[in-house]
């Protein structure tokens, strides 16, 4: 099992910055990709950014150039630096970790952290 705990969500004005953190515990040695997803009011959960164990990253078009994902494998943490925040970034942000057990891929989720951007 893998447990994920997010932190760093807050209320911020448009144009401001926030840094989200996610700490993984449990069977962390077998985690492959990690990432951040978000779910805004009345919307489906969507990918924000992902990072492989080797550091390759992928971003949603809506956050490219504003958000940066990073990872510390030794500490089993993943971070999301969010700059130039916009009201449309308002959402609950969820940390995700993928773990292979044999040929089966398991997805793990944190409890979420609220980010609210005021205009």
């Amino acid at each position: 099992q893998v447990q994920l705990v997010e932190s760093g969500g807050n209320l911020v004005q448009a144009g401001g910055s926030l840094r989200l953190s996610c700490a993984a515990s449990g069977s962390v040695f077998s985690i492959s990709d990690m990432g951040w997803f978000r779910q805004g009011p009345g919307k489906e959960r969507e990918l924000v950014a992902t990072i492989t164990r080797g550091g390759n990253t992928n971003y949603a078009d809506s956050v490219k150039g504003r958000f940066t994902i990073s990872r510390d494998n030794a500490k089993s943490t993943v971070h999301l630096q969010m700059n130039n925040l916009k009201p449309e970034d308002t959402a609950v942000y969820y940390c995700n970790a993928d773990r292979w057990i044999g040929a089966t891929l398991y997805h793990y989720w944190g409890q979420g952290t609220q980010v609210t951007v005021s205009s």
Side-chain angles (χ1 to χ4, degrees), residues 7-46:
S7 61
N10 211 331
L11 170 64
V12 64
Q13 288 189 331
S17 297
L18 281 176
R19 179 177 168 86
L20 304 184
S21 296
C22 173
S25 60
S27 301
V28 296
F29 60 90
S30 56
I31 293 175
S32 56
D33 294 358
M34 297 187 75
W36 291 93
F37 289 69
R38 67 186 182 187
Q39 187 165 13
K43 297 181 181 180
E44 298 287 323
R45 189 174 296 191
E46 62 177 1

Side-chain angles (χ1 to χ4, degrees), residues 88-110:
E88 51 263 42
D89 295 318
T90 295
V92 178
Y93 283 71
Y94 296 91
C95 179
N96 166 262
D98 291 341
R99 178 180 173 225
W100 285 97
I101 302 176
T104 303
L105 181 63
Y106 291 84
H107 304 286
Y108 298 90
W109 297 93

Side-chain angles (χ1 to χ4, degrees), residues 22-99:
C22 173
S25 60
S27 301
V28 296
F29 60 90
S30 56
I31 293 175
S32 56
D33 294 358
M34 297 187 75
W36 291 93
F37 289 69
R38 67 186 182 187
Q39 187 165 13
K43 297 181 181 180
E44 298 287 323
R45 189 174 296 191
E46 62 177 1
L47 180 147
V48 176
T50 61
I51 185 166
T52 67
R53 197 169 186 86
N56 293 320
T57 59
N58 178 53
Y59 295 93
D61 288 343
S62 59
V63 307
K64 282 181 181 177
R66 300 188 298 123
F67 292 9
T68 302
I69 189 170
S70 61
R71 178 174 177 171
D72 186 331
N73 291 326
K75 296 182 179 179
S76 301
T77 56
V78 63
H79 306 279
L80 185 69
Q81 178 65 42
M82 305 186 294
N83 297 328
N84 190 22
L85 282 160
K86 303 176 180 181
E88 51 263 42
D89 295 318
T90 295
V92 178
Y93 283 71
Y94 296 91
C95 179
N96 166 262
D98 291 341
R99 178 180 173 225

